[in-house]
Amino acid sequence: MRFALLLSAALTGLSAAPFAAHAGTPATAGMMDGDVESASAPDAAAPGDIIVTATRTALPVTALPLTARVIDRDTLDRQLQISGSVVDAVAALTPSFSPSRQKLTGQGETLRGRSPLFAIDGIPQTAPLRDGSRDGFTIDPFFIDRVELVLGSNALQGIGGTGGVINQVTVSAPAEQGWSARTILTGTAENGWRGDGLGAKAGALVANRSGAFDIVVGAAYERRGVFRDAQERRIAPDGTQGDLMDSDSFSLFAKAGLALGDGVRLEAMAQRFQLQGDGDLVAVAGNRATGLPSTGAAGIVPGAAPENLAESVALTLTADDLAGGALRVRGFWNRTADIYGGGIFADFQDPAIAPLGTLFDQSQNISRKWGVNASWERGFGPLNLVLGVDLLNDATVQKLAATDRAWVPPTDYRSISPFAQANLALFDDKLRLAGGLRWENVRIDIADYRTLWFYGPQQVGGGSPSFDRLLPNGGIVIEPSPGIRAYASYAQGYTVADIGRITRAIRTPNVDLDRFLDIAPVIADNREIGVEIRRGPVEASVTYFWSDSDRGQLLVLVGDVFEVQRQRIEIEGLEANLSVATPVDGLRLGIGYAHLAGRVDGNGDGQVDTDLDGANIGPDRLNLSADWAIGPVALRLQSRTHFARRFRGGDPRNDFGGYHLLDGAVSMDTKWGRISLSAQNLLNRQYIDYNSDTQRPADNLRFFAGRGRSVTLGWLGRF
């Protein structure tokens, strides 16, 4: 078996973790000064141990049978110098994450071949009922302290984590008494140095700690210019899903905390992020047959320009010593309102409103959610126990804004999910047994509704379909000597299928949602085995994983829009990483590789027979990096090779030819702050975006090139 041979070769060679946090940087490092408040447990981790809050325990990740990584503040800063977004940073550093689309939409971006759950301080950003695919852009990265990655299907954060969790932990005030501040100024020029491609960003954070009270507030504004490919052509905008280029964003952030004594702390966080396109750039068709990408031209976009609005509020109570354990309770509220580009699409037509082929409309996805996450953790000698419960309520509707019609009917999602996790340390912590259960109880409420004219129209009987599921996880960790560990695990993760895509596209008369089986959840069974080494100059890891879901969620293009099909999906892959400190002072080299294979049951016979396509899985990837720090100067070079892929059973026009990119960054610390110069696509390679290259083979309008060389000059000041 090919995977067995790959795994054997990786285990006998050198493989490693590419994140600086694995070298001993504490995962609890704060953005402002290196400290952040976090709940503790009786068996507190030793200094230097990596704690990932997304794992819902204060145990270090070395005690857990899973793959978890931290992109610390310094590593994140370097990636933001190059690309400017958390999504691009995760894509550049994680071989099993699909290539970033460089668009506002994340549709088709997957982690280990499945959709990840984006969160901010544990607050889910994904709308579970109608995935708008904008969840990677709901906060300005200037307010992010670190990014925690938990790879693979799991139910640790509840709904949505079938591919893993990407948790963005926000900045906290410094530990020292008094005032401090952090500022950022950047300027970006696209390939060709034309005026319409210039971008800029400015932001500031001010923090104060006075006795038991601390606060940090900030604001950030970013202007993004037009993106250009390596041949200095404007890249075509994604007029429907929305685009990052030619846009403005403004973000506000605040966090305040109060120590109530005896290890008790109350903390409030609020943030608002708004990104809006200019609406003065339209797409011009290219030619797939000749390889000519679509481009952008000056013009007026009909209707409102695509926009992304996200707001979050959270209140957290922590008590470090309650009944001998640590209590953490967080209540949150979150709202997203996303406007998509409009058009005279077939789905929107209705002869009762306007003659066929003339009706313009555009959709808006509105989601409001509130929830409570509560957990209590205590050590009983060698046993660490976590008990908790999660509550979530989400109300979502997708409207057609111009005619005030409901495309996706108003839908309510309610869940209550108690859980328990245990971790038993044996033989002086050389062996750990871990396991837990999460009981998901979900109800979905949809009133009677009528689909759009395009789908019949159909009168659909609403209902309150519900399900409950016990989701287990378990694993073993062996650490025969310090710095070497092996683990194996099994975990179930779940999400609901994109109910909005299903309910809006019902074409069958007299459907009753209480008996409509396609609302059943997607349950993903995830298994993985891994080995990690952190000894001396070497950090190495290799993981082999495989997952399957009997009724998975597959995005299939039907007409102008993607619809959901429920099919069996099987995915397996291998990820190996190596990071080595060389004899050259300050020089560290890294290599990462991921191989992914996914198959789907295309004919409904229960056997997988067709490859997952580019909308549902990423290509194989090789990452190389070199970091050199000497005195106040730091340099980084990183390359990403995306290997060619043939999709068996699919349209050969969608086969992927592969491409290679090189990025670079240099920074210098001065008494005025850190000055940086970076370049994305340093060699100015011309290439076609992975997602558009592997989809819509007859669509010359959505044939997007990737960005050519872009250069960013930045200043990061601390006071």
Side-chain angles (χ1 to χ4, degrees):
M1 182 179 180
R2 179 173 54 168
F3 274 121
L5 293 175
L6 285 170
L7 180 60
S8 176
L11 286 170
T12 56
L14 290 174
S15 313
F19 297 100
H22 278 269
T25 302
T28 51
M31 179 174 169
M32 296 289 290
D33 71 337
D35 294 305
V36 68
E37 304 292 340
S38 63
S40 61
D43 295 331
D49 281 338
I50 301 166
I51 310 300
V52 177
T53 60
T55 62
R56 310 294 293 270
T57 177
L59 290 175
V61 294
T62 53
L64 308 176
L66 48 75
T67 302
R69 300 168 182 167
V70 175
I71 305 177
D72 63 22
R73 182 67 239 179
D74 285 341
T75 304
L76 182 60
D77 275 343
R78 284 195 296 270
Q79 294 301 319
L80 294 177
Q81 291 172 26
I82 296 170
S83 66
S85 83
V86 170
V87 173
D88 282 322
V90 173
L93 294 172
T94 311
S96 56
F97 192 88
S98 60
S100 166
R101 294 188 60 179
Q102 301 175 351
K103 302 291 186 181
L104 182 56
T105 178
Q107 186 182 89
E109 291 176 348
T110 59
L111 181 60
R112 290 188 174 181
R114 297 185 184 273
S115 297
L117 170 67
F118 282 87
I120 297 174
D121 289 340
I123 303 171
Q125 299 300 295
T126 301
L129 300 173
R130 175 62 187 96
D131 184 5
S133 300
R134 300 273 187 87
D135 41 353
F137 297 95
T138 58
I139 188 172
D140 193 284
F142 183 57
F143 306 132
I144 301 301
D145 167 48
R146 66 188 186 275
V147 179
E148 301 175 339
L149 305 177
V150 180
L151 281 69
S153 300
N154 65 79
L156 293 169
Q157 292 288 349
I159 187 172
T162 54
V165 178
I166 301 174
N167 186 38
Q168 302 164 90
V169 182
T170 60
V171 58
S172 292
E176 292 83 7
Q177 298 288 311
W179 291 91
S180 61
R182 188 172 188 263
T183 59
I184 187 172
L185 290 173
T186 67
T188 300
E190 291 293 308
N191 185 38
W193 297 83
R194 290 176 173 82
D196 64 352
L198 298 179
K201 180 174 183 175
L205 278 167
V206 178
N208 177 259
R209 184 178 293 272
S210 178
F213 180 75
D214 59 88
I215 187 171
V216 54
V217 296
Y221 168 78
E222 184 169 4
R223 165 64 192 167
R224 301 169 185 84
V226 171
F227 295 171
R228 280 186 160 80
D229 66 16
Q231 297 179 0
E232 300 185 14
R233 292 180 294 238
R234 290 190 187 106
I235 296 173
D238 190 330
T240 303
Q241 297 298 324
D243 220 297
L244 290 174
M245 70 174 182
D246 197 32
S247 69
D248 297 85
S249 64
F250 182 65
S251 190
L252 296 171
F253 174 82
K255 181 186 284 186
L258 180 64
L260 302 177
D262 296 327
V264 179
R265 175 179 169 84
L266 188 65
E267 183 177 88
M269 185 277 289
Q271 73 94 20
R272 186 179 195 271
F273 176 84
Q274 185 174 22
L275 184 150
Q276 185 167 23
D278 281 0
D280 57 3
L281 195 67
V282 296
V284 178
N287 189 320
R288 288 180 181 263
T290 63
L292 178 68
S294 52
T295 59
I300 302 301
V301 174
E307 178 183 353
N308 199 33
L309 173 65
E311 299 169 320
S312 297
V313 177
L315 185 64
T316 305
L317 173 68
T318 56
D320 293 341
D321 188 9
L322 179 67
L327 175 71
R328 183 180 183 87
V329 181
R330 169 173 288 149
F332 62 86
W333 175 88
N334 173 261
R335 179 174 79 102
T336 56
D338 306 330
I339 297 177
Y340 298 84
I344 305 175
F345 301 130
D347 305 58
F348 297 168
Q349 301 307 299
D350 189 334
I353 300 176
L356 293 180
T358 65
L359 182 58
F360 171 90
D361 221 323
Q362 62 187 130
S363 70
Q364 182 178 27
N365 202 46
I366 302 173
S367 174
R368 294 179 176 87
K369 62 173 66 71
W370 64 264
V372 177
N373 303 133
S375 63
W376 176 78
E377 183 171 11
R378 179 178 176 179
F380 298 90
L383 177 67
N384 190 79
L385 181 64
V386 182
L387 302 175
V389 62
D390 295 336
L391 309 176
L392 179 63
N393 181 283
D394 182 289
T396 296
V397 61
Q398 187 175 21
K399 295 182 177 180
L400 295 182
T403 56
D404 196 28
R405 292 176 290 167
W407 190 10
V408 173
T411 309
D412 288 334
Y413 173 97
R414 303 174 187 176
S415 71
I416 177 169
S417 307
F419 65 90
Q421 290 288 134
N423 191 290
L424 178 63
L426 302 171
F427 307 112
D428 294 327
D429 296 346
K430 289 182 172 59
L431 173 67
R432 284 183 179 267
L433 303 177
L437 293 171
R438 182 184 180 92
W439 187 24
E440 287 291 342
N441 295 267
V442 172
R443 191 181 79 183
I444 298 169
D445 294 320
I446 307 175
D448 295 349
Y449 70 98
R450 187 179 179 86
T451 63
L452 296 182
W453 177 86
F454 175 78
Y455 302 101
Q458 306 295 341
Q459 187 65 38
V460 180
S464 299
S466 63
F467 61 86
D468 66 278
R469 180 72 179 244
L470 195 63
L471 303 170
N473 68 83
I476 183 172
V477 181
I478 301 173
E479 192 170 1
S481 64
I484 300 177
R485 80 174 188 123
Y487 64 90
S489 67
Y490 167 81
Q492 282 192 338
Y494 94 102
T495 189
V496 291
D498 194 330
I499 288 174
R501 290 186 186 273
I502 296 172
T503 56
R504 77 185 186 188
I506 292 176
R507 294 176 169 86
T508 305
N510 304 317
V511 166
D512 184 340
L513 291 182
D514 278 323
R515 298 189 298 272
F516 197 55
L517 298 180
D518 275 353
I519 290 181
V522 177
I523 302 294
D525 296 290
N526 184 74
R527 308 161 187 87
E528 62 180 289
I529 57 175
V531 175
E532 294 182 357
I533 301 172
R534 292 175 55 199
R535 296 290 291 268
V538 176
E539 299 175 19
S541 70
V542 61
T543 305
Y544 170 55
F545 51 88
W546 65 104
S547 68
D548 58 74
S549 48
D550 289 334
R551 292 179 52 77
Q553 173 173 272
L554 188 72
L555 290 179
V556 178
L557 188 64
V558 178
D560 294 324
V561 299
F562 280 96
E563 294 185 4
V564 170
Q565 292 186 7
R566 306 299 303 276
Q567 302 175 10
R568 178 173 176 80
I569 295 175
E570 295 180 3
I571 297 172
E572 59 181 340
L574 179 141
E575 184 171 345
N577 297 280
L578 169 68
S579 178
V580 179
T582 70
V584 178
D585 188 29
L587 178 63
R588 192 169 191 91
L589 303 178
I591 181 172
Y593 172 75
H595 173 71
L596 295 170
R599 302 278 284 168
V600 63
D601 176 13
N603 57 15
D605 64 356
Q607 301 296 319
V608 294
D609 50 36
T610 304
D611 282 357
L612 285 177
D613 63 11
N616 295 279
I617 197 169
D620 293 353
R621 164 102 69 92
L622 176 68
N623 287 355
L624 300 173
S625 65
D627 289 282
W628 185 43
I630 181 166
V633 179
L635 298 94
R636 179 176 175 85
L637 285 175
Q638 62 184 34
S639 73
R640 289 163 285 154
T641 300
H642 303 90
F643 294 105
R645 165 161 279 180
R646 176 176 171 266
F647 299 100
R648 293 170 295 172
D651 190 326
R653 294 177 297 174
N654 287 331
D655 289 346
F656 176 56
Y659 58 81
H660 171 81
L661 300 175
L662 179 69
D663 306 322
V666 58
S667 64
M668 175 179 291
D669 290 326
T670 72
K671 64 180 181 180
W672 303 286
R674 178 176 296 172
I675 300 172
S676 64
L677 179 66
S678 63
Q680 187 177 24
N681 193 0
L682 184 62
L683 300 180
N684 201 33
R685 293 287 181 88
Q686 179 72 9
Y687 67 100
I688 299 298
D689 162 75
Y690 171 76
N691 186 274
S692 62
D693 193 25
T694 58
Q695 295 294 307
R696 304 174 186 261
D699 189 344
N700 290 317
L701 198 63
R702 299 175 62 85
F703 191 44
F704 302 127
R707 292 179 74 175
R709 183 189 299 115
S710 62
V711 179
T712 300
L713 179 65
W715 172 67
L716 186 65
R718 296 177 185 271
F719 307 95

